Structures are given as structure tokens and as C-alpha cells.
Amino acid sequence: MKSIPKYSLVIPIYNEEETLPELYRRISAVMARMDGPVELILINDGSRDRSLELLRELHEKDARISYLSFARNFGHQIAVTAGLNFSTGKIVVVMDGDLQDPPELIIDMVEQWRQGYHVVYAQRTQRHKEGWFKRLPAYMYYRILRHLADVDIPIDTGDFCLMDRCVVDILNAMPERNRYIRGLRAWIGFKQTAVKFERDPRFAGEVKYTFRKSLGLAMNGLVSFSKVPLRLSIYLGLFAAFVSVLMAFLILYWRIFYPNSALTGLTIVMMAVFFLGAVQLVSIGILGQYVGRIYEEVKGRPLYTLAEVAGFDRSHDRTDK
């Protein structure tokens, strides 16, 4: 039976065959500097390349490496969740596998943990080789989310972080299915601090978080941690009512003083219909986002299914969660 590690490193993997050798080299160098046993948990999120084959080889080569392989692609947040479920270390570090999160920063995070912090998150100060088309929306989103969210979610942070076991246990016990890890991490509380870093470009391969996936994650974060969009429906309704009353007075004015004006005919009626219709559709769409999440929660399906598990104790041998 494996000894209980002091550190657990959790890294989701999706089509990273070009990056895995370099990732292992740099992670190994970091693990050699740590002051206790380390387990490296790699989660294959339904990769279509040779990532799973490479994970098997790394597991055979290094006993510290354990891996999970999903039966299909479940997404980055669920992959992180699976890694947290299987982690056993007193200190758990979550990072991406594309080497945009520098493994060497883990040493600085551990030092902050020794200072008494339960959560140490990496905060980006600069994004190298990323165009304004990606930087500007990200910059705006994090600040809008922080302003609208019910909890204080730090700006310019991702899932790269260190968490104490007490935080991970609470995170694992949280039942919600539409998971936004950085938001849940902030909601839990405890002492938290940041470690600044400059984000490197991908080491190799294509960007896995496309605009569509990034937008979906952004929407998930906003809907999961803010009720402001629901209140927006009320504000839109009140604004539409005000405009409708104003238009009624304008029509009455034009009828009395300008009876032959074209504004009293079909044009203004169509404007009113389209305006009210737009408000109704926006409101229904906002409600749909929240109702959809309720629907996902009540179905009670497992968060993920596992096709292959290696390197864990028997107590962790299971096919779903």
C-alpha cells in the first residue's frame, strides 16, 4: 500500500502528447525540491491523441504518478474535480498541463502555505503572446464578475492554486454539478493570498480553451455566483413599462397636434412590439440559464465516468463519481 503523500499535484490532460514529456521533466524537478512524499495525479479528459498511452508509460516509469482516464470528454472543471476527489495529500496543488502555469511557482505557493494561508492562488500580471482579442475580454470579464458576484472572486486568476486539505475536503463535499472551481474556492473562505506570475504561452500544441468554451465557462461563473442577471430581468421590465407609457403619451400628443403624422401609424406600433418582444426574450433567456442549472442538479447523474484508473489504493477503485 502506498504511503500517504504530503503533497498532491492535480493536472487535467486533454490532447497534450506534445507537452507531457516536458511537463514531466519540469514537475519532477519541482517534486525533488519538496520536503515530503508527492503524488502526481494526471486526469485524461477523453484525449484523442496519444496522451493516455504516455500516461501509462509515465506511471510504469514513476511510482509517484497515478492517473484517471475518463470514458469521454467531460470538461476541464470536472477533470479538476475528479483529481481533487482522488487526492490524499495534506496540500493539494491544481494546475493546467499546457505549461502556461509554471510548475516552479509551486515552491513559492508552499512557502505561503507555511505562513498560515489555506489557499494560495496564482494571479497573472501579464499574458505573453496573447492578442488583445483574448486579453481584453478576459480583463473585462474578471472585473465584471467580481463586481456582480456574491463572493469576492480575485481578478486575473484561474484554477492554478494550492489548497490545504481542509479546503479540499469541503470542496469535495459540495454537491453542485455546474462547477466553477475558482468561484467555489473563494466561496469556501479561509485565509487566502496571491502569488504573482507572468503567464507563458503554450509549450506546444493548440489552445484547448476555444472562444466558445471560454464563453461557456464565463457564463457558468456568472450564473453560479450572482443573482444580478435575474434582477436585470426586473429592471428591463420596468424600463419597458416606462418606455411604453412614454410612447403612449407621445402618440396621444401626435394625435392631437399632428393628426396626419406617419409616427402615429404602423411604424411606432412595430417599434413598440419589437422592443417589448426583445425584453421578453432576454428575460426568458436569463431565466432559462438558471432553470437549466436546476435541471442539471436534480437529474443526479454522476459527474464523470472512468474508463481506466491506475496508481491508487483499492478504496479508490470505482468507475464513476
Side-chain angles (χ1 to χ4, degrees):
M1 181 177 292
K2 294 172 61 176
S3 60
I4 297 177
K6 180 177 181 180
Y7 299 96
S8 295
L9 309 183
V10 174
I11 306 179
I13 300 295
Y14 179 64
N15 294 341
E16 297 288 1
E17 65 174 340
E18 297 175 316
T19 306
L20 272 170
E22 177 66 12
L23 174 66
Y24 174 68
R25 185 189 69 80
R26 290 176 62 179
I27 284 288
S28 296
V30 172
M31 291 193 295
R33 299 168 58 189
M34 292 184 170
D35 61 345
V38 184
E39 66 173 354
L40 174 58
I41 303 175
L42 302 171
I43 306 95
N44 175 43
D45 187 18
S47 298
R48 301 188 188 92
D49 61 2
R50 294 180 57 253
S51 292
L52 179 56
E53 181 181 336
L54 293 177
L55 294 185
R56 293 185 184 122
E57 293 176 1
L58 289 174
H59 170 63
E60 292 296 327
K61 176 182 178 181
D62 192 335
R64 298 173 298 178
I65 295 179
S66 307
Y67 70 87
L68 312 169
S69 183
F70 285 171
R72 66 170 178 84
N73 178 260
F74 282 90
H76 180 272
Q77 298 295 288
I78 300 302
V80 172
T81 299
L84 294 177
N85 291 159
F86 279 78
S87 67
T88 56
K90 183 177 181 180
I91 304 167
V92 182
V93 176
V94 176
M95 61 176 291
D96 289 341
D98 54 12
L99 290 177
Q100 288 188 283
D101 297 338
E104 295 77 13
L105 199 65
I106 294 174
I107 302 300
D108 296 333
M109 291 178 165
V110 172
E111 184 58 36
Q112 290 298 314
W113 174 81
R114 292 196 182 102
Q115 300 298 322
Y117 291 98
H118 299 89
V119 175
V120 184
Y121 51 84
Q123 191 168 45
R124 297 181 290 267
T125 58
Q126 189 173 350
R127 295 169 177 256
H128 292 293
K129 294 186 179 180
E130 289 187 1
W132 67 268
F133 183 75
K134 184 172 183 179
R135 292 201 309 268
L136 181 60
Y139 176 88
M140 295 176 60
Y141 165 71
Y142 282 114
R143 283 149 184 82
I144 292 172
L145 177 63
R146 189 175 192 182
H147 180 71
L148 298 182
D150 299 326
V151 295
D152 185 15
I153 301 177
I155 60 175
D156 300 325
T157 60
D159 295 322
F160 186 20
C161 69
L162 176 150
M163 293 180 286
D164 188 89
R165 169 50 56 182
C166 65
V167 176
V168 175
D169 288 341
I170 296 173
L171 196 57
N172 286 338
M174 300 178 81
E176 55 199 271
R177 319 187 62 74
N178 290 284
R179 302 179 75 82
Y180 188 65
I181 302 296
R182 66 202 71 169
L184 295 175
R185 187 180 69 203
W187 182 90
I188 290 173
F190 291 94
K191 291 184 65 177
Q192 305 196 12
T193 189
V195 171
K196 310 286 186 178
F197 81 109
E198 295 184 5
R199 195 178 196 198
D200 296 326
R202 282 188 60 85
F203 176 78
E206 298 179 353
V207 175
K208 303 304 185 297
Y209 252 104
T210 61
F211 177 78
R212 181 178 64 85
K213 289 183 178 180
S214 297
L215 181 61
L217 182 66
M219 289 295 298
N220 187 36
L222 183 59
V223 174
S224 296
F225 290 94
S226 176
K227 294 183 284 291
V228 171
L230 286 174
R231 293 196 290 269
L232 179 62
S233 299
I234 299 174
Y235 300 148
L236 285 173
L238 292 173
F239 178 69
F242 171 77
V243 173
S244 299
V245 172
L246 180 61
M247 292 175 68
F249 279 111
L250 288 174
I251 292 173
L252 180 62
Y253 173 81
W254 284 319
R255 278 291 186 187
I256 295 174
F257 296 100
Y258 304 97
N260 297 322
S261 173
L263 292 174
T264 60
L266 180 63
T267 302
I268 199 165
V269 173
M270 292 302 296
M271 287 175 59
V273 170
F274 279 114
F275 176 75
L276 293 174
V279 170
Q280 291 173 350
L281 290 174
V282 168
S283 300
I284 292 172
I286 292 172
L287 288 172
Q289 288 291 321
Y290 287 88
V291 173
R293 276 152 178 76
I294 296 173
Y295 176 63
E296 290 295 326
E297 296 291 337
V298 301
K299 282 191 294 188
R301 293 176 183 171
L303 284 177
Y304 51 84
T305 56
L306 296 172
E308 191 173 335
V309 178
F312 297 95
D313 294 336
R314 281 289 182 182
S315 59
H316 277 141
D317 288 348
R318 51 193 175 186
T319 57
D320 54 44
K321 173 66 177 178

